[in-house]
Amino acid sequence: MARRAGTSGATAAGPPFPMEVDRVNAPSAFERLVFRRLPLACMLLAAAAGLVLGPAWSARVAALPWIVSLAVVGLPHGAADLAIARRLGSGPSAVRMFAFYLAGMAAVFAGFALFPVPLILLFAAVSVWHFGMGHADGQVPPIQAAVWPRLRAAVGRGAVVLGVPLACWPAETSAVAQRLVGLAGGDPLSAAGWFAPAAIRLVGIAILAATAVAQAAELLAARREPGEIHRSLETLVDTAVIALLGMATDPLFSVGVYFLVWHAWRHLWLVSPVVTGVRPVDWPSLGRAVARLHLAALPLLIPTWAAVLAGWWWLSADHSARDLAILSLGVYLVVTPSHDLLIDLLRGRPQTPAEATPRPAIPSSCAARIAC
């Protein structure tokens, strides 16, 4: 979008682009409905079902959102990374970018095979950042470019996703982590000390305290800017719904529902104009965007499906749906660091005049620029 004469670009402390651009690129009524209100309604319904039907219900269906996400939106939105790399670079540049992407995946896979417990802990920390920044994508005005606003935005939005299940469901969370270690070839008994329920509960409480501090700091910083106050209040509503889902349902289920209907769905909104050339502003364009993104994801999606199914067949003695869901967590553990760097680089990509999309103009991190 063209800037008004006399405006300047990003500064270390100010918005990356002027507010005139923010209003032009603000989500439409349809986008607010499809990418915020409907996902919030889905999470509220799931939380209500958990409250009415009890914890046993969500434990029985805990694998369902993860299995659905293997084919619909969840894994495909990450498998579109090859298409994103091709859009961000051309020729040798795209090849180098994707080679680094694959090298990062290989390094994380090797680390997970050798040291599963530390990698699971690292994955949790990376997920907080990735979920939080993904939540901020599309919010208006965009998060400021400085390190502290980005950090408090990530913690204030992403930490609640893991903090509530850890604090409210420590034994169930411990069981998921130990099973992931076991499926990775590690010793679940030796991991039990790391994932003791009492320790997990304390970590969850500490994460929630950090969430509260980050959200309070953002509200305090936004007190002089009505647009930022509105953004922070919307964030409070969003995270309250996410917290209710985490309190009311089994942790594998709650994080799976969040991943499918909120995080991955909103990431589709971010990457769709770049990968598919379609901004989903009505139902027909939304359908085209979803279909084209899944088609663009197939070159990575098909081998990933083959690897997941092979691992499930060889590593799960009873071939249970729960083991398939937990193995999919292992896949996300391996790919998320590379995926996050690529998405962070996408965030800093300059918008073209024809690209009327709500993608926020947030400069890429140093890590993404160095990596890619």
Side-chain angles (χ1 to χ4, degrees):
M1 289 297 173
R3 302 181 187 180
R4 288 189 182 179
T7 57
S8 59
T11 64
F17 283 87
M19 291 300 296
E20 291 86 354
V21 176
D22 296 339
R23 286 196 293 270
V24 171
N25 282 339
S28 66
F30 177 82
E31 290 167 318
R32 288 194 296 270
L33 170 67
V34 170
F35 293 104
R36 181 169 182 263
R37 293 171 186 167
L38 289 181
L40 288 175
C42 288
M43 290 190 291
L44 274 174
L45 285 173
L51 291 171
V52 171
L53 301 176
W57 168 79
S58 60
R60 285 197 302 273
V61 298
L64 182 60
W66 294 104
I67 293 175
V68 170
S69 73
L70 286 172
V72 181
V73 177
L75 186 60
H77 97 276
D81 285 350
L82 175 58
I84 293 173
R86 292 170 63 186
R87 301 303 187 276
L88 290 177
S90 59
S93 175
V95 171
R96 286 195 301 270
M97 191 182 304
F98 197 66
F100 185 90
Y101 178 95
L102 293 177
M105 286 176 50
V108 175
F109 178 79
F112 181 50
L114 296 172
F115 310 105
V117 171
L119 263 293
I120 289 173
L121 299 177
L122 179 62
F123 173 58
V126 171
S127 295
V128 167
W129 174 268
H130 187 61
F131 287 161
M133 292 308 297
H135 191 149
D137 287 336
Q139 289 188 314
V140 177
I143 302 302
Q144 294 176 355
V147 173
W148 170 236
R150 288 164 62 91
L151 180 61
R152 74 188 177 210
V155 174
R157 292 159 176 76
V160 68
V161 181
L162 300 183
V164 172
L166 265 61
C168 297
W169 302 79
E172 292 80 1
T173 302
S174 174
V176 171
Q178 290 185 59
R179 183 57 181 157
L180 181 56
V181 171
L183 289 172
D187 182 4
L189 294 179
S190 65
W194 285 92
F195 300 119
I200 286 179
R201 186 186 297 276
L202 287 176
V203 171
I205 293 170
I207 290 174
L208 292 179
T211 302
V213 170
Q215 291 188 350
E218 184 171 315
L219 272 172
L220 185 64
R223 67 190 183 279
R224 296 188 182 90
E225 173 53 59
E228 292 191 2
I229 292 174
H230 182 262
R231 181 195 65 203
S232 297
L233 292 177
E234 278 195 344
T235 299
L236 288 176
V237 173
D238 299 344
T239 53
V241 173
I242 295 166
L244 180 62
L245 174 65
M247 289 187 287
T249 59
D250 179 87
L252 187 62
F253 178 80
S254 66
V255 178
V257 169
Y258 166 87
F259 174 74
L260 178 62
V261 308
W262 183 266
H263 173 74
W265 184 241
R266 286 171 63 87
H267 252 190
L268 180 147
W269 182 30
L270 171 72
V271 305
S272 176
V274 177
V275 172
T276 71
V278 177
R279 177 179 176 179
V281 293
D282 52 29
W283 292 111
S285 60
L286 176 64
R288 290 196 301 273
V290 172
R292 290 181 185 179
L293 184 134
H294 283 71
L295 286 174
L298 286 177
L300 283 183
L301 196 56
I302 291 174
T304 305
W305 282 340
V308 170
L309 291 176
W312 181 53
W313 182 260
W314 288 105
L315 300 175
S316 174
D318 57 358
H319 301 142
S320 66
R322 183 177 177 85
D323 278 354
L324 180 58
I326 293 175
L327 271 174
S328 74
L329 273 174
V331 172
Y332 295 125
L333 181 152
V334 169
V335 304
T336 293
S338 293
H339 171 67
D340 183 71
L341 285 173
L342 193 63
I343 292 295
D344 202 37
L345 193 69
L346 173 65
R347 290 189 182 105
R349 169 180 172 266
Q351 289 177 283
T352 63
E355 190 180 341
T357 163
R359 178 174 52 81
I362 302 174
S364 304
S365 67
C366 292
R369 292 195 298 272
I370 292 170
C372 298

